[in-house]
Protein backbone atom coordinates (compact mmCIF):
# COMPACT_ATOMS: atom_id res chain seq x y z
CA UNK A 1 0.00 0.00 0.00
CA UNK A 2 1.35 3.42 -0.98
CA UNK A 3 0.42 6.50 1.08
CA UNK A 4 0.40 10.13 -0.05
CA UNK A 5 -0.21 12.88 2.48
CA UNK A 6 -0.29 16.65 2.68
CA UNK A 7 -1.77 19.13 5.16
CA UNK A 8 -5.31 18.53 3.90
CA UNK A 9 -5.59 14.94 2.70
CA UNK A 10 -4.15 11.46 3.08
CA UNK A 11 -4.78 8.84 0.40
CA UNK A 12 -3.84 5.17 0.10
CA UNK A 13 -3.40 3.25 -3.16
CA UNK A 14 -2.98 -0.52 -3.60
CA UNK A 15 -0.91 -2.18 -6.31
CA UNK A 16 -3.78 -4.60 -7.01
CA UNK A 17 -5.78 -2.82 -9.68
CA UNK A 18 -3.88 0.42 -8.90
CA UNK A 19 -7.00 1.05 -6.83
CA UNK A 20 -7.54 4.02 -4.55
CA UNK A 21 -8.30 2.59 -1.10
CA UNK A 22 -8.83 5.57 1.16
CA UNK A 23 -9.34 9.34 1.18
CA UNK A 24 -9.10 10.97 4.61
CA UNK A 25 -9.08 14.63 5.57
CA UNK A 26 -6.78 16.16 8.18
CA UNK A 27 -9.22 15.17 10.94
CA UNK A 28 -9.16 11.53 9.83
CA UNK A 29 -12.65 11.48 8.31
CA UNK A 30 -12.99 8.83 5.59
CA UNK A 31 -14.70 9.83 2.33
CA UNK A 32 -14.12 6.73 0.19
CA UNK A 33 -16.31 3.64 0.55
CA UNK A 34 -14.46 0.98 2.55
CA UNK A 35 -15.43 -2.09 0.50
CA UNK A 36 -17.79 -3.79 2.97
CA UNK A 37 -18.54 -7.08 1.21
CA UNK A 38 -22.15 -7.05 2.38
CA UNK A 39 -22.76 -4.20 -0.06
CA UNK A 40 -19.90 -3.99 -2.62
CA UNK A 41 -16.33 -5.24 -2.09
CA UNK A 42 -14.46 -2.53 -3.98
CA UNK A 43 -13.36 1.08 -3.44
CA UNK A 44 -12.52 2.68 -6.79
CA UNK A 45 -11.66 0.16 -9.51
CA UNK A 46 -10.05 1.03 -12.86
CA UNK A 47 -12.18 -0.10 -15.80
CA UNK A 48 -10.07 -1.34 -18.75
CA UNK A 49 -10.07 -2.39 -21.61
CA UNK A 50 -13.88 -2.17 -21.54
CA UNK A 51 -16.38 -0.16 -19.55
CA UNK A 52 -19.45 -2.06 -18.31
CA UNK A 53 -20.80 -5.09 -20.14
CA UNK A 54 -20.51 -6.92 -23.44
CA UNK A 55 -23.53 -8.67 -24.92
CA UNK A 56 -23.22 -12.29 -23.74
CA UNK A 57 -19.78 -11.37 -22.40
CA UNK A 58 -18.12 -11.60 -25.83
CA UNK A 59 -16.72 -9.35 -28.56
CA UNK A 60 -15.45 -9.86 -32.08
CA UNK A 61 -12.50 -8.42 -33.96
CA UNK A 62 -10.58 -9.50 -37.10
CA UNK A 63 -12.68 -12.64 -37.40
CA UNK A 64 -11.94 -13.86 -33.85
CA UNK A 65 -14.20 -13.91 -30.80
CA UNK A 66 -12.98 -13.07 -27.30
CA UNK A 67 -14.55 -13.00 -23.85
CA UNK A 68 -14.20 -10.29 -21.20
CA UNK A 69 -15.93 -9.97 -17.87
CA UNK A 70 -17.76 -6.77 -17.00
CA UNK A 71 -15.39 -3.79 -16.73
CA UNK A 72 -12.39 -5.79 -18.01
CA UNK A 73 -9.33 -7.20 -16.27
CA UNK A 74 -7.33 -4.22 -15.00
CA UNK A 75 -9.24 -3.99 -11.70
CA UNK A 76 -8.08 -7.51 -10.78
CA UNK A 77 -4.52 -7.25 -12.13
CA UNK A 78 -1.35 -6.59 -10.17
CA UNK A 79 0.25 -3.29 -11.22
CA UNK A 80 3.91 -2.42 -10.75
CA UNK A 81 5.00 0.64 -8.80
CA UNK A 82 6.83 2.88 -11.29
CA UNK A 83 7.56 6.03 -9.28
CA UNK A 84 6.66 7.83 -6.09
CA UNK A 85 7.26 11.31 -4.70
CA UNK A 86 5.75 13.14 -1.74
CA UNK A 87 2.78 14.21 -3.86
CA UNK A 88 2.51 11.65 -6.67
CA UNK A 89 2.52 7.89 -7.22
CA UNK A 90 2.36 5.98 -10.53
CA UNK A 91 1.53 2.33 -11.18
CA UNK A 92 1.69 0.50 -14.54
CA UNK A 93 0.25 -2.63 -16.12
CA UNK A 94 1.61 -4.15 -19.33
CA UNK A 95 0.16 -6.85 -21.53
CA UNK A 96 1.07 -10.47 -20.84
CA UNK A 97 0.30 -13.92 -22.25
CA UNK A 98 -2.62 -13.99 -19.82
CA UNK A 99 -4.13 -10.71 -21.10
CA UNK A 100 -3.59 -11.80 -24.73
CA UNK A 101 -6.06 -14.64 -24.28
CA UNK A 102 -8.89 -12.13 -23.87
CA UNK A 103 -7.43 -8.94 -25.38
CA UNK A 104 -5.06 -9.42 -28.35
CA UNK A 105 -3.01 -6.23 -28.05
CA UNK A 106 0.29 -5.05 -26.62
CA UNK A 107 -0.17 -2.02 -24.36
CA UNK A 108 1.00 -0.19 -21.28
CA UNK A 109 -1.57 1.31 -18.91
CA UNK A 110 -0.30 3.64 -16.22
CA UNK A 111 -2.37 5.20 -13.46
CA UNK A 112 -1.08 8.21 -11.51
CA UNK A 113 -2.51 9.78 -8.36
CA UNK A 114 -1.34 13.30 -7.59
CA UNK A 115 -2.23 15.30 -4.48
CA UNK A 116 -2.68 19.04 -4.83
CA UNK A 117 -4.18 20.69 -1.75
CA UNK A 118 -7.64 19.21 -1.21
CA UNK A 119 -7.76 17.72 -4.75
CA UNK A 120 -6.72 14.31 -6.06
CA UNK A 121 -5.77 14.12 -9.74
CA UNK A 122 -6.40 10.65 -11.20
CA UNK A 123 -4.41 10.41 -14.44
CA UNK A 124 -4.75 7.64 -17.03
CA UNK A 125 -2.10 7.00 -19.67
CA UNK A 126 -2.59 4.25 -22.29
CA UNK A 127 0.37 3.67 -24.61
CA UNK A 128 0.18 1.49 -27.73
CA UNK A 129 3.24 -0.81 -27.74
CA UNK A 130 1.70 -2.94 -30.51
CA UNK A 131 2.60 -2.93 -34.20
CA UNK A 132 -1.11 -2.51 -35.00
CA UNK A 133 -3.81 -0.04 -34.02
CA UNK A 134 -5.35 -0.92 -30.65
CA UNK A 135 -8.88 -0.28 -29.39
CA UNK A 136 -9.98 0.19 -25.79
CA UNK A 137 -12.28 1.85 -23.30
CA UNK A 138 -11.30 3.16 -19.87
CA UNK A 139 -13.16 4.47 -16.86
CA UNK A 140 -13.18 5.16 -13.14
CA UNK A 141 -15.56 3.82 -10.49
CA UNK A 142 -14.93 5.72 -7.20
CA UNK A 143 -17.47 5.12 -4.43
CA UNK A 144 -18.13 7.83 -1.83
CA UNK A 145 -19.67 7.53 1.60
CA UNK A 146 -23.04 9.27 1.73
CA UNK A 147 -23.14 12.22 4.13
CA UNK A 148 -25.96 12.19 6.69
CA UNK A 149 -26.70 8.47 6.14
CA UNK A 150 -25.87 5.87 8.75
CA UNK A 151 -25.85 2.13 8.12
CA UNK A 152 -29.37 0.74 8.30
CA UNK A 153 -31.04 4.05 7.46
CA UNK A 154 -32.87 4.50 4.15
CA UNK A 155 -30.36 5.27 1.42
CA UNK A 156 -30.68 8.84 0.11
CA UNK A 157 -28.58 11.72 -1.14
CA UNK A 158 -28.29 14.75 -3.39
CA UNK A 159 -26.06 15.47 -6.37
CA UNK A 160 -25.58 18.80 -8.13
CA UNK A 161 -24.64 18.86 -11.83
CA UNK A 162 -22.97 21.71 -13.68
CA UNK A 163 -25.76 21.36 -16.28
CA UNK A 164 -28.98 23.02 -15.06
CA UNK A 165 -30.91 22.06 -18.19
CA UNK A 166 -32.50 18.79 -19.15
CA UNK A 167 -30.19 15.83 -18.56
CA UNK A 168 -31.03 12.55 -20.31
CA UNK A 169 -29.94 9.09 -19.29
CA UNK A 170 -29.50 5.69 -20.88
CA UNK A 171 -30.56 2.45 -19.20
CA UNK A 172 -28.35 -0.64 -19.24
CA UNK A 173 -30.39 -3.24 -17.40
CA UNK A 174 -30.76 -6.13 -19.88
CA UNK A 175 -27.85 -8.53 -19.62
CA UNK A 176 -25.77 -5.58 -18.44
CA UNK A 177 -26.35 -3.86 -21.78
CA UNK A 178 -28.17 -0.75 -22.99
CA UNK A 179 -31.81 -0.83 -24.08
CA UNK A 180 -33.14 1.45 -26.85
CA UNK A 181 -34.26 4.98 -26.00
CA UNK A 182 -33.26 8.00 -23.98
CA UNK A 183 -34.91 8.79 -20.67
CA UNK A 184 -35.32 11.66 -18.20
CA UNK A 185 -32.65 11.55 -15.50
CA UNK A 186 -35.09 13.31 -13.12
CA UNK A 187 -32.49 16.01 -12.38
CA UNK A 188 -34.16 19.40 -11.97
CA UNK A 189 -32.25 22.68 -12.28
CA UNK A 190 -29.04 20.71 -11.88
CA UNK A 191 -30.16 18.89 -8.71
CA UNK A 192 -30.65 15.12 -8.55
CA UNK A 193 -32.16 13.88 -5.30
CA UNK A 194 -31.84 10.10 -5.17
CA UNK A 195 -32.98 7.16 -3.10
CA UNK A 196 -32.43 3.45 -3.57
CA UNK A 197 -35.35 3.42 -6.01
CA UNK A 198 -33.33 5.68 -8.33
CA UNK A 199 -31.09 2.69 -9.08
CA UNK A 200 -33.85 0.15 -9.71
CA UNK A 201 -32.82 0.15 -13.40
CA UNK A 202 -29.12 -0.08 -12.47
CA UNK A 203 -26.79 2.89 -13.08
CA UNK A 204 -27.85 6.26 -14.41
CA UNK A 205 -25.78 6.48 -17.60
CA UNK A 206 -25.27 10.06 -18.76
CA UNK A 207 -23.55 10.34 -22.13
CA UNK A 208 -22.89 13.01 -24.78
CA UNK A 209 -20.79 15.12 -22.37
CA UNK A 210 -23.95 16.45 -20.72
CA UNK A 211 -22.27 16.68 -17.32
CA UNK A 212 -18.66 17.59 -16.52
CA UNK A 213 -18.85 18.34 -12.78
CA UNK A 214 -20.85 16.53 -10.10
CA UNK A 215 -21.02 17.56 -6.45
CA UNK A 216 -22.16 15.26 -3.66
CA UNK A 217 -24.07 17.48 -1.23
CA UNK A 218 -24.88 17.25 2.47
CA UNK A 219 -28.32 17.98 3.91
CA UNK A 220 -27.56 21.74 3.90
CA UNK A 221 -26.69 21.40 0.19
CA UNK A 222 -23.03 22.14 0.83
CA UNK A 223 -20.60 20.18 -1.37
CA UNK A 224 -18.77 17.35 0.38
CA UNK A 225 -17.06 15.79 -2.66
CA UNK A 226 -16.71 17.17 -6.20
CA UNK A 227 -15.79 15.03 -9.20
CA UNK A 228 -14.73 16.89 -12.36
CA UNK A 229 -14.08 15.12 -15.65
CA UNK A 230 -13.37 15.51 -19.34
CA UNK A 231 -14.92 12.11 -20.10
CA UNK A 232 -17.88 11.97 -22.51
CA UNK A 233 -19.95 9.77 -20.19
CA UNK A 234 -20.52 9.28 -16.48
CA UNK A 235 -22.24 6.53 -14.54
CA UNK A 236 -23.97 7.14 -11.21
CA UNK A 237 -24.60 3.95 -9.26
CA UNK A 238 -25.39 2.29 -5.98
CA UNK A 239 -26.38 -1.38 -5.66
CA UNK A 240 -30.15 -1.68 -5.75
CA UNK A 241 -31.79 -3.76 -3.05
CA UNK A 242 -28.97 -3.39 -0.50
CA UNK A 243 -29.69 0.03 1.01
CA UNK A 244 -25.99 0.76 0.61
CA UNK A 245 -24.67 3.96 2.24
CA UNK A 246 -22.53 5.04 -0.73
CA UNK A 247 -22.81 6.33 -4.28
CA UNK A 248 -20.40 5.94 -7.20
CA UNK A 249 -19.60 8.80 -9.58
CA UNK A 250 -17.86 7.19 -12.56
CA UNK A 251 -16.11 9.05 -15.41
CA UNK A 252 -16.17 6.86 -18.53
CA UNK A 253 -14.39 6.87 -21.88
CA UNK A 254 -16.58 4.00 -22.99
CA UNK A 255 -20.00 2.53 -22.51
CA UNK A 256 -21.92 -0.78 -22.48
CA UNK A 257 -22.86 -2.74 -25.55
CA UNK A 258 -26.40 -2.21 -26.73
CA UNK A 259 -28.72 -5.20 -26.29
CA UNK A 260 -27.96 -7.91 -28.91
CA UNK A 261 -24.93 -6.05 -30.29
CA UNK A 262 -22.90 -8.43 -32.44
CA UNK A 263 -20.86 -5.94 -34.44
CA UNK A 264 -17.13 -5.30 -34.56
CA UNK A 265 -15.37 -4.29 -31.35
CA UNK A 266 -13.86 -1.29 -33.11
CA UNK A 267 -17.33 0.10 -33.84
CA UNK A 268 -18.62 0.02 -30.26
CA UNK A 269 -19.93 3.32 -28.94
CA UNK A 270 -17.27 5.56 -27.35
CA UNK A 271 -14.41 3.33 -28.46
CA UNK A 272 -10.89 4.79 -28.31
CA UNK A 273 -8.28 4.01 -30.99
CA UNK A 274 -4.49 4.34 -30.88
CA UNK A 275 -2.01 3.98 -33.71
CA UNK A 276 1.31 2.20 -32.98
CA UNK A 277 3.44 4.30 -30.66
CA UNK A 278 0.59 6.69 -29.83
CA UNK A 279 -0.73 7.50 -26.37
CA UNK A 280 -4.03 8.40 -24.72
CA UNK A 281 -3.85 10.72 -21.71
CA UNK A 282 -6.66 12.06 -19.57
CA UNK A 283 -7.58 12.69 -15.97
CA UNK A 284 -10.42 13.39 -13.59
CA UNK A 285 -10.26 15.05 -10.20
CA UNK A 286 -11.76 14.40 -6.79
CA UNK A 287 -11.98 17.42 -4.49
CA UNK A 288 -12.79 17.08 -0.79
CA UNK A 289 -14.49 20.07 0.81
Amino acid sequence: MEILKNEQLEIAVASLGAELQSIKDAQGKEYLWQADERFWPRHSPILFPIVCGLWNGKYRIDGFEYALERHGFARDSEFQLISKTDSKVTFALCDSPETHRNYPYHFMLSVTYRLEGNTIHVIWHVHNTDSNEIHFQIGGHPAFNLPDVKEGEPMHGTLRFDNKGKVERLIGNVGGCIVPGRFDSEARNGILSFTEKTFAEDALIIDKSQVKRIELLDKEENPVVTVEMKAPAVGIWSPYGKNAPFVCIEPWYGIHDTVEYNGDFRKKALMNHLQPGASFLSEYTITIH
Side-chain angles (χ1 to χ4, degrees):
M1 194 78 67
E2 301 297 330
I3 307 295
L4 297 179
K5 186 176 181 179
N6 62 19
E7 293 181 354
Q8 299 183 57
L9 295 179
E10 178 180 306
I11 68 171
V13 185
S15 58
L16 181 63
E19 185 178 4
L20 189 62
Q21 303 281 297
S22 175
I23 305 172
K24 292 181 179 178
D25 64 17
Q27 289 71 48
K29 180 180 177 180
E30 180 64 72
Y31 290 81
L32 199 67
W33 172 246
Q34 287 303 289
D36 187 330
E37 293 186 358
R38 294 174 298 166
F39 302 97
W40 187 58
R42 299 181 188 267
H43 306 267
S44 180
I46 305 296
L47 317 181
F48 178 90
I50 59 168
V51 170
C52 297
L54 300 169
W55 183 244
N56 292 327
K58 294 182 167 68
Y59 70 96
R60 292 142 299 279
I61 195 163
D62 294 331
F64 294 93
E65 185 173 79
Y66 301 90
L68 278 173
E69 293 186 1
R70 186 176 181 86
H71 293 321
F73 51 74
R75 62 182 183 169
D76 295 315
S77 298
E78 189 69 26
F79 283 63
Q80 298 299 312
L81 177 64
I82 299 300
S83 64
K84 184 182 179 185
T85 68
D86 290 343
S87 61
K88 184 169 69 173
V89 62
T90 299
F91 291 88
L93 174 70
C94 293
D95 61 277
S96 67
E98 183 177 354
T99 66
H100 291 163
R101 285 196 289 270
N102 297 313
Y103 183 67
Y105 299 115
H106 298 284
F107 68 89
M108 184 188 74
L109 165 63
S110 66
V111 181
T112 297
Y113 297 90
R114 180 169 65 87
L115 271 184
E116 182 181 20
N118 63 334
T119 296
I120 305 153
H121 296 258
V122 185
I123 303 162
W124 301 320
H125 178 197
V126 182
H127 182 61
N128 181 358
T129 58
D130 207 293
S131 58
N132 298 303
E133 184 180 44
I134 71 170
H135 318 280
F136 68 94
Q137 299 175 328
I138 191 167
H141 203 310
F144 302 103
N145 295 324
L146 288 173
D148 313 312
V149 176
K150 296 179 181 178
E151 186 177 326
E153 293 181 349
M155 184 268 200
H156 66 278
T158 304
L159 299 174
R160 181 161 58 209
F161 300 158
D162 59 332
N163 180 357
K164 294 185 178 181
K166 183 178 181 181
V167 174
E168 294 182 323
R169 66 172 292 193
L170 304 175
I171 293 177
N173 65 352
V174 174
C177 293
I178 293 171
V179 301
R182 303 184 67 80
F183 306 88
D184 185 359
S185 70
E186 299 186 4
R188 297 293 178 265
N189 197 32
I191 298 293
L192 176 69
S193 296
F194 60 86
T195 64
E196 187 172 53
K197 185 179 178 182
T198 304
F199 304 102
E201 303 289 353
D202 206 12
L204 277 74
I205 308 159
I206 301 172
D207 65 346
K208 296 189 175 182
S209 299
Q210 295 177 84
V211 174
K212 293 295 188 181
R213 185 180 70 251
I214 300 178
E215 296 172 324
L216 175 61
L217 307 180
D218 64 17
K219 60 185 177 182
E220 282 84 31
E221 296 196 349
N222 296 312
V224 176
V225 177
T226 299
V227 177
E228 295 193 62
M229 68 205 80
K230 304 172 185 176
V234 60
I236 301 169
W237 177 80
S238 193
Y240 181 66
K242 295 188 176 182
N243 206 34
F246 71 87
V247 67
C248 296
I249 304 172
E250 312 174 35
W252 292 346
Y253 284 88
I255 208 162
H256 323 44
D257 274 356
T258 52
V259 169
E260 298 186 349
Y261 181 75
N262 61 4
D264 191 282
F265 186 65
R266 287 169 286 208
K267 296 181 180 178
K268 274 172 56 67
L270 299 185
M271 182 59 70
N272 304 283
H273 313 279
L274 282 179
Q275 292 293 327
S279 289
F280 166 97
L281 184 67
S282 192
E283 72 170 347
Y284 73 94
T285 61
I286 301 168
T287 299
I288 304 300
H289 299 278

